[in-house]
Amino acid sequence: MKNMLSIVVLILLIGLGFVSNNEVAFAGTMEYSVKANIPKNQVNKKLTYFDLKMAPGSKQTISLTVKNTSSEEKKIMIEPNTAITNQNGVIDYSKNGHKKDSSLKYAFSDLISPKQEIVIKGKETKKVPFTIQMPKESFDGIILGGFYVHEINKEEKKKENNKVQIKNEFSYVIGVKLTGTDEVVKPKLKLNEVQAGLMNYRTVVTANLQNTEAVIINNLDVNARITKEGKKEKLHSTKKSKLSMAPNSNFDFPITWDNQKLEPGKYHLYLTITDGNQIWKFDKMFEIKGADAKAINKTAIGVEKDYTFLFIGLAAFILSLIIIIIILLKKKKRGEDNEEE
């Protein structure tokens, strides 16, 4: 039970973006562990991820310590990735080679030496260096990234009783925040494309939100409402809170369609967003085209079926049957009358 609790705690910390406790990083429940070796120019020395202030054009080597707590040799991949915002509104450091946001001037992955694959023997500890080269020009705000560390060729274990395969898929994230000046940068949000689509095979409309400044936005509350063009009645809405966005990043905010089919037509999106200090309000017209709606509805799961045409067809069949019966009865009666005559 104690080991299971340690694993849950570690997963929660990784989900927040940083491994924030060295003791957890070296927990006995893991077969390997990673920690940041904090340098002298660390801004906040209480943090266990890198929080560095560096001068324009300067170069610095930082390092991670990887410890293999098992007796078997392991292959470990360490990827320095630029921070992005994923579809859940969470800052994500695990995407290697992700498409850069249009507002991103300096990507963390471009300023640091490439990813490394290391082989570490059983019970061995290794220090792995990476070199950061800061831009020559001074910049305000922050550059955000992180080391995504995971095992290659993860070992598969089988339960003898039911032969269910269990994969060890634990990974670590060690964040890196680079600062050039003390200038405070205010966040700016932009609404880009609004379009119909699928999220987890459910019908949605997504609104692409973009943070165009070199600053983290935390505690975002998003309230989205959709109406038909020219109408005030709400068709669909979604509210989400406590979202975060990485500097100079974008993500598709999903507005649920309540498991209904997408209908072609013109719609109006209203968005209200706040981080507790600023409020952003957007409204935008968009159109769902017939071909798009048909393709999406065909793939979607859980969509409420429209039985209108089935009922119409059934009613038409019954009506036709009644008419045929009436005609047959009339013919029969006419025949009987003729016989009597």
Side-chain angles (χ1 to χ4, degrees), residues 29-294:
T29 55
M30 305 292 289
E31 293 186 336
Y32 74 99
S33 55
V34 186
K35 74 165 186 172
N37 299 312
I38 303 302
K40 292 181 180 179
N41 61 326
Q42 177 88 349
V43 176
N44 186 345
K45 291 182 171 56
K46 292 182 179 179
L47 300 175
T48 54
Y49 59 87
F50 295 104
D51 180 16
L52 309 178
K53 187 173 182 181
M54 297 177 63
S58 63
K59 183 183 287 188
Q60 180 177 348
T61 298
I62 60 175
S63 66
L64 302 173
T65 294
V66 183
K67 182 178 180 181
N68 185 356
T69 56
S70 75
S71 57
E72 298 178 357
E73 183 181 273
K74 292 186 177 296
K75 289 183 179 180
I76 305 292
M77 177 63 76
I78 306 176
E79 299 173 351
N81 298 327
T82 302
I84 65 165
T85 305
N86 67 26
Q87 67 181 34
N88 298 313
V90 175
I91 298 176
D92 190 341
Y93 305 84
S94 66
K95 306 300 181 186
N96 185 257
H98 192 271
K99 183 180 178 181
K100 297 176 186 176
D101 185 85
S102 61
S103 69
L104 182 62
K105 190 174 183 181
Y106 303 116
F108 172 73
S109 56
D110 292 338
L111 303 177
I112 192 165
S113 50
K115 62 184 180 182
Q116 296 187 48
E117 177 185 325
I118 65 168
V119 177
I120 185 166
K121 297 176 181 179
K123 304 300 181 181
E124 184 183 12
T125 299
K126 274 190 177 182
K127 184 182 284 189
V128 186
F130 286 85
T131 301
I132 299 171
Q133 175 66 64
M134 288 291 275
K136 293 181 179 180
E137 298 177 357
S138 178
F139 67 91
D140 297 329
I142 66 171
I143 297 171
L144 189 64
F147 294 102
Y148 178 60
V149 187
H150 57 99
E151 187 178 352
I152 302 172
N153 298 324
K154 301 178 183 66
E155 182 182 334
E156 293 186 1
K157 295 180 179 179
K158 284 189 177 181
K159 285 185 177 179
E160 293 182 2
N161 295 335
N162 53 18
K163 295 184 179 180
V164 175
Q165 289 187 349
I166 301 174
K167 292 184 179 181
N168 298 326
E169 294 186 343
F170 296 107
S171 59
Y172 290 88
V173 172
I174 304 291
V176 183
K177 184 174 77 171
L178 303 177
T179 308
T181 68
D182 295 325
E183 188 71 25
V184 177
V185 176
K186 288 187 177 181
K188 290 182 183 178
L189 281 182
K190 181 180 177 183
L191 172 62
N192 296 316
E193 188 177 16
V194 180
Q195 60 182 350
L198 292 172
M199 193 72 74
N200 297 323
Y201 293 96
R202 304 282 180 176
T203 49
V204 296
V205 163
T206 59
N208 184 265
L209 299 176
Q210 184 180 22
N211 173 16
T212 61
E213 299 299 313
V215 62
I216 297 172
I217 311 180
N218 287 315
N219 299 316
L220 277 178
D221 292 341
V222 182
N223 186 352
R225 177 172 59 92
I226 292 177
T227 68
K228 286 285 285 183
E229 181 186 27
K231 304 291 184 180
K232 293 183 178 180
E233 294 80 11
K234 178 180 67 178
L235 282 179
H236 304 281
S237 64
T238 295
K239 291 183 180 180
K240 289 191 178 181
S241 59
K242 307 299 180 185
L243 305 185
S244 299
M245 291 192 72
N248 303 106
S249 69
N250 72 86
F251 78 109
D252 290 327
F253 179 82
I255 300 105
T256 179
W257 218 247
D258 302 307
N259 287 336
Q260 296 177 13
K261 290 174 64 177
L262 292 164
E263 298 292 345
K266 293 184 178 180
Y267 298 85
H268 204 150
L269 168 66
Y270 299 89
L271 270 176
T272 301
I273 307 171
T274 180
D275 64 353
N277 297 310
Q278 296 187 70
I279 297 177
W280 295 271
K281 290 190 175 183
F282 304 102
D283 70 271
K284 190 168 187 175
M285 300 294 300
F286 67 97
E287 183 179 3
I288 300 177
K289 297 187 181 296
D292 295 334
K294 185 177 180 180

